[in-house]
Structure formats: structure tokens, C-alpha cells
Amino acid sequence: MEFSPSVFLLSFASILLLVGGGLLFRSLLKFFATERRPQNFPLPPGTMGWPYMGETFQLYSQDPNVFFASKRQRYGSIFKTHILGCPCVMISSPEAAKFVLVTKSHLFKPTFPASKERMLGKEAIFFHQGAYHMKLRKLVLRAFTPEAIRNIVPDIQSIAKDSLLSWEGRLINTFQEMKSYTFNVALLSIFGKDEVLYREDLKRCYYILEKGYNSMPINLPGTLFNKSMKARKELAQILAKILSTRRQTKLDHNDLLGSFMGDKEGLTDDQIADNIIGVIFAARDTTASVLTWILKYLGENPSVLQAVTEEQEAIMRSGEKGDEEKLLNWADTKKMPITSRVIQETLRVASILSFTFREAVEDVEYEGELFPDPEKFDPSRFEVAPKPNTFMPFGNGTHSCPGNELAKLEILVLLHHLTTKYRWSIVGANTGIQYGPFALPQNGLPIILSNKPR
């Protein structure tokens, strides 16, 4: 099959289960391609839905796997549709994941809707490939390698403890509180200790900005997009102030901003600002969503929660005698295999990311694997590594997430203190799932957190 695609890469994992002659899907890789093609190049079967809207509502109003499974049953593994105003082709399989993300990654550049690109900034790493992308990726990886982030474990621990303390004894929206936690960790990793000076201003502007991420790009007074773009401008001004202060002090910093400001790299202030905002965007909601789902699954699986708690309590008891409280270090986070499998299983079952995007740069010719009982939450399945290209929660290839080690670290640190010191109860019959843009437990998973008896 030949097409000239604009590709949206939907979901991280690519998993197909064949059971009793039927197909069950969980977190399927899907990619889409526009019909911009030379004459006589065939497109697969499918329907385009309503003018402009296409089948966007059908995809966003339910579990994406339901939408995709019904299409696959009717049209096969490759079909055309129309999503977010874009005619496209969907393909699913581990082979397709490898084709787009690794083998032919140079043919598929990242892209986003125009509104989100303008809000994040056109110089952000997401929108590029080639030499500029590789330079940015090198700078981000330099700040987020295990060697770099191991030194901020005490600071992340302090943020986690303060967050949990503020939740004690009250009804909270788990997702919203986890967003605050991950935002604070993101600022720490970007600005180091300097983040305290600018935290509230950065929060105020970014919280306005993010409300417009999925809005229509109508820049008229009063619209979400207009408010967001004003906040984006103020955010850039705050970042310019931080850059100016650092240049005056001439001190070395080992955080992400310090990596971006390296003299040899030659990034402009606009390029730095776009990528700082982009990193906050990438680091916040996704990790917060993972943590929210983890609390839900642990609450619903007492035996798994018990295993995680015992693992974390053993680490806590390993401190020096007489220590009032053992402080976690990098080595401790490598002694959490059960907790790490819980994170992996959550990423598999919950399908955290709804969409990332790819656009082919030229015409492309493109001619499950099995997770038994895919709906069941079972971290033990990761005692054996999954087959290649079936589980990619952080992507794969040159555009894989460079901050995955930081994301895993902040999750492990929070879960350590959560399971050893607290217990929680889910409030209400919150068994449903809400969609758009992230799949989340209904109402953000309301819980009440309380101290464990000593």
C-alpha cells in the first residue's frame, strides 16, 4: 500500500491478543496518514464520517480500543478514517510500530495540531527531526540521565512528603493533586533550586496556558486560545528574566536550563523558552495520570498493594539504627522490582497517552505480541520481558521520551512514602473512565488519605 501520510501515533503499546477466534486489543499502536497522495495510489477501505469532524467524536467519546476494534473487525488491520479535521489511515501491529518509530523514523516527523504548536512554541523538540532535533535530544538527555538525576532524589523526596502531608485527612481529586506534584518535580529538574523563586508565577501562567491546549485556534478576545496565548507570552517573559539572572551570576548549573544555556550549543532565548515549556507539557499530565491509575489499581488489588508495601517497608527498615527516618537514595530506587512492575502494568492497562503525532515527509510504501488476559491488572506478567515492539510506554527510536528515568524516579519516590505512611480510600462508586485527552478514572479518582497507625 502506498500513501503520502500525515501520521498520528496513538497510544504507546502495541498489543494484540487472539482468543477463541476473536481479537481483543489493549493499547494498540495506531497511525494515521492523510490522503495527500499521487494519482492512482490506493487507500485502504473505511469511512470518512461527517465533513470536517469526520469520526473524531466516535474516537474521543469512548475507549479508543473499542473504536479501533470495531473498525478492524469491519475493514481489517489497515483502514482510512477522518480525525481532528485530518483524513488519515490507521495501522496496527508491532511491525508497524517498529516501521514508524525505528526502521523508517526519518520518514515520519513529529507534528501536533496548529493550536498546540503555537502554544508550546515552534522551536520545541517535538516538532523537529534531523540535526536540530538530535542536538536538543542530546541536551535533554544530558540533564535527565541517571547520573544527573540521582543527585536530586532528596529534593524529589521533599516534594513528595510535602505533597502527601498537604493531602492528609481531606477529600482530594487525585489527578489534580498529582498534577501539582509532577509540576513541582518538573520545575526542580528544569531550574534546580532556582525554581522556588519563580514557582508561583510559572504555575499561574502555565495553568492558564494548558487550558487552551485542545482549543480551536481562534485568537479572538475572550476565547480560550486567546487567553492561553497571552499566558504563553507572559511565561516567555518570566523565562527571559531567569535567563538574564543566570547570565549575570555566571554560575554553573546541572539542571536542564543549564544544559540548554551551554555556550557551545548556541540556542537562542526563544529556542530555550519553547523547549522549557515543551518539557513541562511532556512531564506533567502524563506522569500524573500514571500515578492516579496506580492508586486506583492498588486500591482494587489488595494483594498487590500488600506486596508493594512490604517491599517499601523493607527499604525503610534498612536505614541506620537510630535514624529518625531513612532518606531514600538512588540505590534504594533500584531495589523496588515489585513496585516497578506495578508501574509497567499500569502503563500497559491504562494506555496513558491518548495521542502523539507523526507526519510523513515523503511518500511511504507499507505493504499480536500476546498479553494473556489483557484486561486483568497483573504486574507479575513483567517478571519476563515482553516481546519486542509490543510494549513501548515511552515510545521507541530517536523520538522516544528522554525523560523516562525522571518520570519513573518521581513515581517510585512518591509510592515509597505513600505506601509506608498512609492508607487511602476511594470515595464513591468511581468505576467509570472518562476520556479526552487522557483516559482517567471518573472524576479524577476522589480519595481520602489518612496516616497509618503507628
Side-chain angles (χ1 to χ4, degrees):
M1 173 155 306
E2 300 180 25
F3 47 87
S4 179
S6 170
V7 174
F8 305 109
L9 188 61
L10 170 60
S11 177
F12 282 129
S14 173
I15 302 161
L16 167 63
L17 175 64
L18 183 62
V19 179
L23 295 175
L24 298 178
F25 297 84
R26 169 55 64 184
S27 303
L28 295 160
L29 177 93
K30 309 164 181 94
F31 74 78
F32 312 89
T34 64
E35 292 184 283
R36 198 180 61 233
R37 65 192 191 282
Q39 194 172 12
N40 299 324
F41 276 19
L43 281 171
T47 59
M48 306 305 287
W50 293 93
Y52 185 70
M53 287 300 295
E55 297 184 301
T56 303
F57 176 77
Q58 291 92 320
L59 177 62
Y60 270 93
S61 63
Q62 61 183 334
D63 184 341
N65 295 303
V66 173
F67 171 84
F68 191 82
S70 65
K71 290 288 185 178
R72 179 172 179 122
Q73 185 176 16
R74 183 172 181 181
Y75 300 114
S77 61
I78 302 178
F79 59 90
K80 66 183 178 183
T81 182
H82 193 276
I83 305 295
L84 293 172
C86 180
C88 49
V89 167
M90 285 187 171
I91 295 179
S92 165
S93 74
E95 293 76 21
K98 184 177 180 181
F99 181 82
V100 175
L101 297 177
V102 182
T103 310
K104 300 291 184 180
S105 63
H106 62 286
L107 297 177
F108 298 93
K109 70 175 183 178
T111 187
F112 280 82
S115 58
K116 190 165 289 187
E117 185 171 335
R118 289 174 64 183
M119 290 178 192
L120 295 178
K122 63 181 181 180
E123 297 297 330
I125 188 172
F126 311 112
F127 312 124
H128 295 272
Q129 59 182 40
Y132 179 65
H133 171 266
M134 292 306 295
K135 178 168 79 169
L136 289 173
R137 183 173 175 80
K138 176 183 175 183
L139 295 176
V140 175
L141 283 172
R142 187 166 72 187
F144 290 160
T145 60
E147 292 71 24
I149 63 176
R150 67 191 308 157
N151 297 320
I152 64 172
V153 172
D155 301 298
I156 295 176
Q157 182 169 222
S158 179
I159 295 172
K161 291 169 66 176
D162 288 346
S163 297
L164 290 166
L165 186 63
S166 72
W167 305 343
E168 262 183 49
R170 63 187 183 91
L171 177 66
I172 65 167
N173 180 308
T174 304
F175 181 57
Q176 293 302 321
E177 296 297 342
M178 291 301 182
K179 284 174 69 171
S180 294
Y181 168 67
T182 55
F183 187 81
N184 289 335
V185 174
L187 294 187
L188 170 70
S189 66
I190 295 167
F191 303 106
K193 298 295 177 66
D194 289 350
E195 66 91 11
V196 177
L197 302 174
Y198 305 97
R199 182 188 299 170
E200 295 309 313
D201 283 340
L202 289 168
K203 275 186 179 180
R204 176 178 54 78
C205 293
Y206 187 81
Y207 287 5
I208 297 172
L209 172 65
E210 70 171 356
K211 290 179 182 178
Y213 276 151
N214 295 299
S215 63
M216 297 295 290
I218 302 173
N219 201 8
L220 295 175
T223 63
L224 271 178
F225 184 80
N226 180 264
K227 293 176 182 177
S228 294
M229 291 306 294
K230 287 182 178 178
R232 171 66 172 78
K233 183 177 180 180
E234 187 176 354
L235 200 53
Q237 292 169 347
I238 297 170
L239 293 172
K241 186 190 305 182
I242 298 173
L243 288 168
S244 175
T245 301
R246 284 208 175 183
R247 289 189 179 113
Q248 291 173 15
T249 59
K250 298 182 179 179
L251 297 176
D252 291 331
H253 295 81
N254 295 323
D255 47 39
L256 180 62
L257 183 57
S259 184
F260 282 155
M261 291 179 67
D263 290 337
K264 295 179 181 179
E265 308 308 334
L267 294 180
T268 67
D269 286 6
D270 285 344
Q271 288 174 327
I272 292 174
D274 288 359
N275 281 284
I276 291 295
I277 294 171
V279 168
I280 295 174
F281 161 73
R284 187 166 180 242
D285 283 14
T286 49
T287 307
S289 180
V290 177
L291 280 162
T292 302
W293 280 107
I294 287 175
L295 263 64
K296 176 178 172 61
Y297 290 138
L298 289 180
E300 294 173 347
N301 295 270
S303 61
V304 178
L305 174 57
Q306 181 63 27
V308 169
T309 302
E310 289 175 357
E311 178 176 78
Q312 296 299 333
E313 288 177 342
I315 292 172
M316 187 172 62
R317 291 192 299 269
S318 67
E320 296 283 337
K321 286 188 177 180
D323 284 355
E324 183 174 332
E325 180 185 353
K326 174 179 169 55
L327 296 178
L328 282 179
N329 55 44
W330 178 257
D332 291 328
T333 67
K334 300 304 172 184
K335 301 173 184 175
M336 304 177 179
I338 297 173
T339 312
S340 295
R341 289 196 291 269
V342 166
I343 296 172
Q344 288 180 292
E345 179 68 346
T346 300
L347 288 165
R348 186 194 70 82
V349 177
S351 302
I352 300 303
L353 192 65
S354 296
F355 294 96
T356 63
F357 303 87
R358 294 291 186 271
E359 179 182 350
V361 297
E362 61 184 66
D363 293 349
V364 178
E365 181 176 353
Y366 183 76
E367 315 176 81
E369 1 82 294
L370 304 181
F371 279 102
D373 201 4
E375 302 296 329
K376 180 181 179 182
F377 183 78
D378 180 15
S380 68
R381 70 176 81 242
F382 285 96
E383 291 173 2
V384 178
K387 294 182 180 180
N389 302 305
T390 64
F391 180 70
M392 296 175 289
F394 297 101
N396 198 1
T398 58
H399 290 284
S400 61
C401 175
N404 69 84
E405 289 292 339
L406 177 63
K408 288 184 283 189
L409 175 62
E410 64 182 295
I411 293 172
L412 289 170
V413 171
L414 184 75
L415 290 178
H416 171 79
H417 290 282
L418 177 67
T419 57
T420 55
K421 301 173 186 173
Y422 298 92
R423 56 188 178 188
W424 67 94
S425 57
I426 299 173
V427 177
N430 288 284
T431 58
I433 300 175
Q434 61 190 51
Y435 298 97
F438 295 99
L440 286 168
Q442 199 69 40
N443 301 317
L445 193 70
I447 66 169
I448 294 180
L449 193 72
S450 59
N451 276 299
K452 281 186 174 180
R454 296 289 182 180

